[in-house]
Amino acid sequence: MAIACPYCAHRLNPKTARPGRYRPKCPNCAQPFLLTVPEEVGAAWRVEVLPAEPLRAPTTPVRERAVAPPAPPAGGSHVLGFARTNLDPEKGSGAHRSPGPGGDSAEVEEVPLAPRTEVRGYAIEQEIGRGGMGTVYLARQLSLDRPVALKVMSKRWVCDPVFVARFTREAFAAAQLSHPNIVQIHDIGETDGARFFSMEYVRGKSLADVVKQQGKLDPETAVGYVLQAARGLKHAHDRGMIHRDVKPDNLLLDDQGLIKVADLGLVKTPTAARADDQLTDPSASSRSGLLSLPPDMTGARIALGTPAYMSPEQCRDAATVDHRADIYSLGCTLYVLVTGRPPFDGTTAVELMSKHAYDPLVPPEQIVSRVPKEVSAVIQRMMAKDPNDRFQDAGDVVRTLEAWLGVHHTGTFSPQEEQIAKIEGYVFQFNTCGPAMLRGRLVQGFFGAVALSAVLLAFFGKLAWAFGVFGLALEASVAYFVLDGALRRGHLFGCMRRFVGGMSPSDLAVGVAGFGMFCVLLALLKVFWIWAGFGLIGVGLAFALRYGVDRAVQESRRQVLDACERQLRRMRMHGVDEEELRQFVAKFAGRNWEEFFEALFGYEAKLAARAVLLRGGVAGTREKHAAWREPLIAWMERVEKARTESRQRALLASVERAHLLATGASTQTAENQAKAAADAMVRAADEIRRAETQRATPGLATGERPASVRALVRAAEQPDEFTFAPSRRSDPLGAVVALFVGPHVRAAAAAVLIAACALWAHQNGLVPGEEIQSQAARAVEAHDLSGLRPPAALDAGRATRGLAVAGVPAAATAWADSFNVGLAGVLLLGSLFSRGNLMSALVLIGAAVAVTGHQVGIRNVEPFRDYHVSLMLGALLAAVGFRFARPA
């Protein structure tokens, strides 16, 4: 009788047929499992995972081996407090063999990814940490050209679909947390069958490193650090997530004095099953050596935490802990910061866990006399053995520590006059520094000169050169955007880079074809080489501005920003909340605050601060900085959101499918339920983000609770509660309509219209040529300008004839009789980057009205001509269509 492995779903044909209970091993994943052969002939054989056994101390101690951790990145950067595994010195760090989830027979060679290896959009730079669940690499995200921490799950867990599913769910759930005091998870993915997630790269060091370098910290500084961590944990707890591995290694201090809670690989959601925390093989604990690891080691499945910082209830049963376990671990961390030593010592994990559960705590002031009794009392309450005797939520911890630091939290930070004066001074210096003023005048002067030159050249009949001067401004702007973006990595350039990098081959082909058609149009208008020449001049001007002026601006402003950041760092250390700190800067930075604020905190933080600052109009008149970027950035972010959700659905569905198959579900059932779970998780994540946005808007009830990730996790763990509904239902009529309005039709129509416009302009002499130039020269020599007529494009009294092509009936080409034809082609070209039958139909109708409206009944509406009215009506129809578009 054929059976399936409960872990990897591998099909087996055991030879034994005698009734009884057996413990075979899967030849595919080497996992032992329990097989029960019933006495009844023909009855189904039962396959089960092995039950877990309680932790017990090993009978013989296992020698602890330690190696030096990998060298940190240049600049002392630290990413995760990720516990290093004990590597065998004889094997070195190039490979790592460790037992798989089923025992020591499932050996998997862990080969670190080599530098410059590309992993699904990320380039590996170096390994920076390794732990029970996997390896952490410093990598560069290619689409945004930014450093990230890439956490790759160990290959020895790949054959455990239950573990993989939990790993992926928790990473996806943790990615919904967005708070200044939490390391942000950016994306989840898969490479060579192993799951990974990328997260924010924190430049700085962990509090464990700080204690090693400085010893015990000043109590006020230590409380300031722990207060920031408590705020991050409160944000996670309020949304239904528990960390379960809070320790100094996982609290990162960046170079701005900001604490970030890291290593969310052990996050526990409230709906996690007890079985998720148990060992698959009851004998694996003694063979793996986890019970004799150093006290700072994190096990992948044993108690799910670090023994030196574990709460008593977590030591007894990790599946029953709640958010108060994090409060205990945070109290242990504060104990270490103020005393320089852990609250309990031990040589084995079991000894440490026993002391946390039963031994009394030595008060910190008895170890270090200068620890205030109030701080000692807070630590002792946080570390109470009974969870009911501790602070009942992280908000209580935050308020208590704020009160001790003298930060009176009233919802709005009340700064001192000295702090306000300093911020106002920094903003004034930032906005009025000499190089910045010079740069502003140069840019204004350049565009003013371009506009004046274009008008004068057009007035004197030099339309080609006027058009070329316009091209100079355009090409110089594009060149500067690319150069500045590549060097400074601005937000708009990053969005554009990610947008282009995520385009499909067909969309890239459309873009290249559109650029090619534009070059053909320039050639037909006989201005291509003028544009090329002015383009070289524009590139030179961009380089001159970037290296000649911008460098001086950055140097002078960098000194101002550094001074401001030092003040903000001191305020953070004294307990000021990060969000209130940012509102303080925005409020007192004056009318032109946005560029200064964006240089300090970034573009997205600026938008969030603006939404709060301008609420109700109490902030007075405020200027926006480079507001032209915002619609473009918002559109690209909508496109990227649709792409990301599509990738996430596919990944989550594959993970859940493998999980369901491993538990015995049929192929069709697993397929449907996996799709349902993936769709439900993505929709739940979208609801969480929407709820978070609404919390920052006016009119929200103060007592309203934030969105929880419980629904997101429950969608994966209980997929039967969700009805599978495909995101895109079958639409036969829509498929037929798409044949007539789809991108292939619009692309062909755009090419025809632009080419027809260029040919029509050439036939009607709308391009300045030798005849017009010679006419002007003769008139000047004869001192008689009365016979000089302006070019046809400027001659309102001259009628143009429609396009005529040899061998083609006049009726088939006569519709091309104005520049409306080319502008309609541009509208169609722009529509290729969006989708939607309604949008496509409206844009096509709008293009038709713009081209032929004045020929079929549209009349003059003074002071506009009939073709002007046609163009306006057509553009209006296209604009309405774009409102119904969805991202490509």
Side-chain angles (χ1 to χ4, degrees):
M1 178 179 292
I3 61 174
C5 171
Y7 299 101
C8 66
H10 180 71
R11 306 296 294 179
L12 300 139
N13 290 286
K15 297 180 181 180
T16 181
R18 297 179 60 185
R21 305 186 74 182
Y22 302 89
R23 186 180 160 186
K25 281 190 178 181
C26 173
N28 182 52
C29 65
Q31 287 267 41
F33 59 90
L34 190 62
L35 172 64
T36 303
V37 180
E39 295 183 358
E40 297 82 1
V41 178
W45 293 1
R46 189 170 60 185
V47 178
E48 301 172 281
V49 297
L50 287 169
E53 291 183 357
L55 297 177
R56 59 181 183 273
T59 55
T60 56
V62 181
R63 182 172 56 94
E64 297 176 7
R65 300 182 297 266
V67 300
S77 299
H78 188 91
V79 182
L80 293 176
F82 201 86
R84 272 83 172 176
T85 50
N86 284 356
L87 304 182
D88 191 332
E90 297 175 353
K91 295 181 181 179
S93 59
H96 174 227
R97 288 182 176 270
S98 49
D104 56 4
S105 62
E107 293 189 351
V108 179
E109 185 176 7
E110 293 291 339
V111 180
L113 297 176
R116 294 184 295 279
T117 302
E118 287 194 15
V119 178
R120 296 297 178 95
Y122 300 91
I124 300 296
E125 294 188 0
Q126 68 179 46
E127 179 183 331
I128 54 178
R130 183 179 293 181
M133 287 191 190
T135 306
V136 182
Y137 297 93
L138 171 62
R140 180 159 296 278
Q141 187 176 0
L142 301 178
S143 60
L144 292 176
D145 192 27
R146 67 177 176 185
V148 297
L150 201 68
K151 185 172 183 179
V152 182
M153 188 177 65
S154 174
K155 290 185 178 180
R156 67 180 181 272
W157 301 108
V158 173
C159 58
D160 186 348
V162 177
F163 182 80
V164 170
R166 185 183 178 205
F167 178 94
T168 307
R169 293 172 195 165
E170 292 180 351
F172 185 69
Q176 312 313 316
L177 300 179
S178 179
H179 190 271
N181 296 119
I182 294 179
V183 173
Q184 180 66 49
I185 293 180
H186 299 311
D187 194 16
I188 59 176
E190 178 183 6
T191 175
D192 296 332
R195 268 60 184 184
F196 69 84
F197 59 89
S198 64
M199 65 195 81
E200 176 185 0
Y201 178 71
V202 181
R203 296 186 181 276
K205 51 190 174 182
S206 71
L207 291 187
D209 295 330
V210 173
V211 173
K212 289 177 183 178
Q213 295 172 4
Q214 303 179 18
K216 53 184 175 293
L217 304 182
D218 172 71
E220 186 173 350
T221 300
V223 170
Y225 289 156
V226 170
L227 172 59
Q228 293 188 56
R231 288 171 177 150
L233 290 173
K234 179 182 182 301
H235 180 86
H237 293 170
D238 288 346
R239 285 146 187 84
M241 300 194 71
I242 307 170
H243 193 290
R244 292 204 305 178
D245 195 26
V246 178
K247 57 184 178 180
D249 289 280
N250 287 340
L251 302 182
L252 309 184
L253 175 65
D254 72 5
D255 51 10
Q256 303 304 320
L258 190 63
I259 292 292
K260 289 181 177 286
V261 180
D263 198 356
L264 297 176
L266 293 181
V267 168
K268 181 183 185 295
T269 55
T271 53
R274 180 187 299 262
D276 289 339
D277 293 332
Q278 295 176 342
L279 286 169
T280 303
D281 183 356
S283 63
S285 59
S286 61
R287 289 201 304 266
S288 66
L290 284 171
L291 293 182
S292 60
L293 290 176
D296 63 346
M297 178 58 68
T298 300
R301 290 201 169 193
I302 293 184
L304 289 171
T306 302
Y309 301 89
M310 240 192 267
S311 66
E313 67 270 22
Q314 191 171 354
C315 295
R316 289 188 290 265
D317 188 351
T320 62
V321 302
D322 58 17
H323 59 276
R324 292 173 295 183
D326 284 348
I327 294 176
Y328 183 95
S329 299
L330 190 62
C332 294
T333 299
L334 182 54
Y335 191 103
V336 171
L337 296 182
V338 297
T339 65
R341 47 165 288 184
F344 299 103
D345 293 323
T347 57
T348 66
V350 169
E351 180 183 357
L352 269 175
M353 294 160 71
S354 176
K355 289 185 176 181
H356 276 283
Y358 304 110
D359 286 12
L361 178 70
V362 178
E365 75 269 18
Q366 294 184 16
I367 300 175
V368 179
S369 58
R370 61 185 175 87
V371 175
K373 291 186 177 180
E374 297 85 356
V375 174
S376 179
V378 169
I379 294 175
Q380 293 180 68
R381 185 178 176 187
M382 294 174 71
M383 294 183 61
K385 304 294 184 184
D386 187 349
N388 295 320
D389 295 334
R390 299 178 204 149
F391 294 100
Q392 292 305 292
D393 60 63
D396 290 342
V397 177
V398 169
R399 288 185 288 272
T400 302
L401 296 181
E402 285 178 341
W404 187 80
L405 287 172
V407 180
H408 301 291
H409 185 84
T410 59
T412 303
F413 171 59
S414 299
Q416 302 174 1
E417 286 296 327
E418 179 185 1
Q419 295 171 330
I420 296 174
K422 285 185 176 181
I423 287 295
E424 291 175 340
Y426 294 142
V427 177
F428 180 79
Q429 295 177 49
F430 182 90
N431 291 330
T432 60
C433 66
M437 301 289 288
L438 173 63
R439 183 186 183 280
R441 294 191 184 99
L442 288 175
V443 172
Q444 293 176 1
F446 169 73
F447 284 105
V450 165
L452 180 61
S453 301
V455 170
L456 291 176
L457 288 169
F459 181 79
F460 285 105
K462 304 292 186 181
L463 284 183
W465 290 96
F467 196 41
V469 170
F470 170 77
L472 169 64
L474 179 63
E475 291 168 308
S477 300
V478 172
Y480 177 80
F481 170 73
V482 174
L483 181 63
D484 181 68
L487 295 175
R488 198 164 54 90
R489 297 175 184 150
H491 188 77
L492 176 59
F493 183 79
C495 288
M496 188 75 71
R497 181 170 178 162
R498 182 173 55 181
F499 173 79
V500 174
M503 291 174 65
S504 64
S506 60
D507 287 336
L508 287 173
V510 167
V512 173
F515 179 75
M517 286 190 289
F518 181 73
C519 292
V520 170
L521 177 62
L522 293 179
L524 291 174
L525 295 175
K526 297 184 178 179
V527 294
F528 178 81
W529 293 111
I530 295 177
W531 270 60
F534 276 127
L536 294 176
I537 297 174
V539 172
L541 292 174
F543 270 88
L545 179 64
R546 182 64 184 79
Y547 288 99
V549 181
D550 283 3
R551 183 175 295 179
V553 173
Q554 290 180 354
E555 288 296 328
S556 58
R557 285 182 166 178
R558 186 69 261 169
Q559 299 176 7
V560 177
L561 293 174
D562 287 343
C564 182
E565 287 172 349
R566 285 194 293 271
Q567 178 188 347
L568 298 180
R569 190 181 300 115
R570 289 192 294 270
M571 295 172 69
R572 290 187 184 104
M573 293 178 64
H574 284 85
V576 179
D577 180 74
E578 183 66 19
E579 294 179 353
E580 293 186 353
L581 186 68
R582 295 180 180 184
Q583 280 301 310
F584 156 65
V585 174
K587 182 177 180 181
F588 293 101
R591 178 170 181 169
N592 298 298
W593 67 282
E594 288 202 350
E595 186 177 10
F596 176 78
F597 190 95
E598 188 173 340
L600 280 174
F601 303 110
Y603 175 83
E604 294 178 346
K606 181 194 73 174
L607 295 184
R610 182 201 291 168
V612 178
L613 182 67
L614 302 183
R615 183 181 303 171
V618 296
T621 304
R622 295 296 180 110
E623 299 292 337
K624 292 184 178 180
H625 170 64
W628 58 269
R629 302 173 299 168
E630 296 177 17
L632 185 60
I633 290 175
W635 175 70
M636 288 189 291
E637 288 181 343
R638 285 196 299 271
V639 173
E640 183 59 27
K641 177 185 175 183
R643 293 172 179 169
T644 302
E645 288 186 351
S646 178
R647 291 195 303 267
Q648 288 175 345
R649 274 191 176 90
L651 177 63
L652 293 170
S654 67
V655 170
E656 295 301 326
R657 186 185 304 110
H659 178 204
L660 292 167
L661 288 173
T663 57
S666 66
T667 303
Q668 188 60 43
T669 300
E671 185 75 22
N672 291 340
Q673 291 187 347
K675 288 181 179 179
D679 188 66
M681 281 190 284
V682 172
R683 284 189 285 109
D686 188 60
E687 289 296 326
I688 291 171
R689 289 190 294 267
R690 186 179 296 110
E692 289 295 322
T693 302
Q694 291 174 353
R695 284 177 59 81
T697 58
L700 180 71
T702 55
E704 185 173 339
R705 290 186 59 81
S708 173
V709 298
R710 289 188 176 126
L712 186 154
V713 180
R714 189 166 57 250
E717 296 182 343
Q718 302 173 5
D720 291 336
E721 295 183 3
F722 298 88
T723 303
F724 172 56
S727 301
R728 297 184 181 180
R729 297 178 180 176
S730 178
D731 185 9
L733 179 61
V736 173
V737 173
L739 295 176
F740 298 95
V741 299
H744 58 289
V745 174
R746 286 176 280 139
V752 170
L753 291 176
I754 292 175
C757 179
L759 290 174
W760 166 80
H762 182 70
Q763 286 183 2
N764 284 271
L766 301 182
V767 182
E770 297 178 358
E771 180 181 352
I772 295 177
Q773 295 175 4
S774 60
Q775 177 192 6
R778 289 194 302 270
V780 171
E781 291 176 0
H783 302 284
D784 180 15
L785 301 180
S786 60
L788 181 61
R789 295 183 60 82
L794 300 180
D795 188 359
R798 174 181 171 182
T800 59
R801 56 189 177 87
L803 175 65
V805 179
V808 179
T813 58
W815 49 267
D817 63 352
S818 68
F819 280 111
N820 288 13
V821 178
L823 295 174
V826 172
L827 282 176
L828 291 175
L829 202 61
S831 73
L832 296 177
F833 296 99
S834 299
R835 297 288 185 268
N837 286 344
L838 182 57
M839 179 276 300
S840 303
L842 288 174
V843 172
L844 283 169
I845 294 172
V849 170
V851 171
T852 63
H854 59 285
Q855 299 175 352
V856 296
I858 293 179
R859 297 291 180 260
N860 297 346
V861 178
E862 296 298 337
F864 301 107
R865 303 292 296 273
D866 53 357
Y867 52 86
H868 294 153
V869 179
S870 299
L871 179 62
M872 287 187 286
L873 289 177
L876 179 61
L877 283 171
V880 173
F882 282 123
R883 295 290 298 173
F884 294 98
R886 66 173 186 266

